Amino acid sequence: MTAYDLLFRRVLSRLDAETAHKGAFAAMRLAARVPGLAAYGRRRLTPSGGAAGGPAGGVEAFGLHFPGPLGLAAGFDKNAAGIDSLAGLGFAFVEVGTVTGRPQPGNPKPRLHRLVADRAVVNRMGFNNDGAAVVAARLARRRRRRGALPVVVGVNIGKSKVVPEAEAISDYEASTRLLAPYADYLVVNVSSPNTPGLRDLQAVELLRPLLTAVRAQADAVTSRRVPLLVKIAPDLSDDDVLAVAKLAVELELDGIIATNTTIGRDGLRSTPIAVERAGAGGLSGAPLAERSLEVLRLLRGSVGEQLTLVSVGGISTAEDAHARLKAGATLVQAYTAFIYGGPFWPARVQRDLARLLAED
């Protein structure tokens, strides 16, 4: 048992989950401002620093260079407030967001719960964020700042809750106009279960005009082609997964991120009382592993080598990540395992994954 395991069991697990998240994230950002500590962490923990490892030569995906295959999924840093502190812990790329066109407080609290027996989290945050204009300004300041780490930054965008479905495209376009100039890649999120009506946009007849509009808007406001991906839910039927894959190839998207959280609760180890107490929302963590891997294999079998696939959902160990890469993912992401594993988890997984890939 590590020191972080003891800290988590005796202190963090007894705090409200959202309070613990905010406190831990604040501590990470504070540590990143300590010059000697930050420099030491960069040398010892990041793939580019060498000690954390990474595949020889890194990973190339949608025209970008990644020092390693493991990144942080959207949801942890919703407002682009701590990109460098997270990169300094060993993540090869950081996806910020989900960011909406309008600032919004999210759903009422409490809205984040742990299911410790399952190493899982239930969230119904509701895209709480500062809004596209504020996040864009923050990304612009970071780009100008000397000393920012050379980490790949993805930006995940979603629909503002107050915007009706009929106006969803214009809302996504507004976010794209503001954020695309500062995104190394852009993700259209239509798969969170916590914004009413959002998952309806995964239907091909609604998704096609949305992705087409975002692509056109990104091209209009940037002098480069910003890689565009779509993030899908694990709760889609296999036929719907394949329909999205076909559409992504047709529209020449750069990739698909699979998968978001699930509304399912099957096969959990937690007691029914604990599950009921956690309430509604998206379930993330270890219980997603099987379905996420199934969706990845479906997608790779459908799209061949035409798209980059980013696998997320239930990745807890280097072996989990390795299995996703072997099944067809180019990159992998995690979030919940980072919460349970602590600040040294990403560097450890990155290093062990590099060893597994070298053995291959």
Side-chain angles (χ1 to χ4, degrees):
M1 182 180 296
T2 67
Y4 179 80
D5 291 331
L6 288 172
L7 175 65
F8 183 87
R9 289 188 181 187
R10 296 181 180 179
V11 180
L12 296 179
S13 64
R14 298 181 183 182
L15 295 175
D16 167 73
E18 188 170 351
T19 301
H21 170 81
K22 288 181 178 179
F25 194 16
M28 293 175 201
R29 298 197 302 272
L30 180 62
R33 296 191 186 103
V34 180
L37 184 59
Y40 177 80
R42 192 174 301 130
R43 290 193 306 271
R44 298 294 302 170
L45 301 178
T46 66
S48 56
V59 179
E60 302 296 325
F62 34 83
L64 300 173
H65 176 76
F66 296 75
L70 175 67
L72 179 64
F76 193 96
D77 187 359
K78 296 178 181 295
N79 294 307
I83 293 170
D84 293 299
S85 61
L86 293 163
L89 294 177
F91 287 110
F93 60 106
V94 175
E95 188 173 309
V96 301
T98 295
V99 185
T100 54
R102 307 184 191 185
Q104 53 188 39
N107 292 324
K109 299 177 182 179
R111 53 194 180 181
L112 186 65
H113 299 269
R114 310 178 196 88
L115 294 177
V116 178
D118 292 286
R119 295 184 72 83
V121 166
V122 173
N123 95 81
R124 50 182 171 275
M125 303 298 287
F127 289 169
N128 55 307
N129 74 103
D130 295 338
V134 172
V135 174
R138 195 169 286 137
L139 289 169
R141 288 195 299 271
R142 178 184 177 271
R143 181 168 287 187
R144 294 192 299 265
R145 191 175 71 243
R146 295 179 61 185
L149 291 179
V151 61
V152 174
V153 178
V155 179
N156 183 301
I157 59 174
K159 186 181 81 68
S160 303
K161 185 175 182 179
V162 298
V163 171
E165 186 177 306
E167 300 173 19
I169 289 179
S170 61
D171 188 54
Y172 278 93
E173 286 179 317
S175 295
T176 303
R177 277 195 300 274
L178 290 164
L179 293 163
Y182 308 107
D184 291 321
Y185 68 89
L186 197 64
V187 181
V188 173
N189 185 354
V190 288
S191 51
S192 169
N194 298 318
T195 295
L198 183 72
R199 286 192 167 189
D200 296 341
L201 297 175
Q202 292 177 113
V204 167
E205 62 272 16
L206 297 177
L207 190 57
R208 177 181 282 107
L210 172 59
L211 293 173
T212 301
V214 170
R215 172 80 277 160
Q217 194 63 232
D219 289 345
V221 298
T222 62
S223 58
R224 61 193 170 91
R225 189 180 189 281
V226 180
L228 180 62
L229 297 84
V230 64
K231 186 169 186 177
I232 64 173
D235 305 315
L236 287 176
S237 69
D238 289 357
D239 287 343
D240 287 337
V241 169
L242 295 174
V244 172
K246 182 179 179 181
L247 177 65
V249 171
E250 174 193 328
L251 297 181
E252 298 183 344
L253 295 191
D254 297 275
I256 299 174
I257 299 181
T259 60
N260 211 321
T261 59
T262 179
I263 58 173
R265 298 292 188 270
D266 295 336
L268 297 180
R269 298 177 181 177
S270 299
T271 66
I273 292 175
V275 175
E276 183 179 358
R277 188 181 299 123
L283 176 77
S284 63
L288 267 72
E290 183 177 350
R291 179 56 181 167
S292 184
L293 182 57
E294 287 178 354
V295 172
L296 171 64
R297 287 173 172 154
L298 271 175
L299 289 170
R300 184 52 77 200
S302 174
V303 305
E305 298 303 317
Q306 297 178 82
L307 295 178
T308 294
L309 300 181
V310 183
S311 186
V312 56
I315 295 174
S316 300
T317 66
E319 288 74 20
D320 293 335
H322 186 240
R324 304 299 174 92
L325 298 177
K326 297 280 280 186
T330 301
L331 299 165
V332 294
Q333 291 179 321
Y335 173 178
T336 304
F338 178 41
I339 295 173
Y340 283 97
F344 299 112
W345 180 87
R348 183 170 64 249
V349 171
Q350 204 85 260
R351 181 180 59 248
D352 292 347
L353 181 56
R355 175 180 51 78
L356 292 171
L357 291 171
E359 291 173 357
D360 287 342

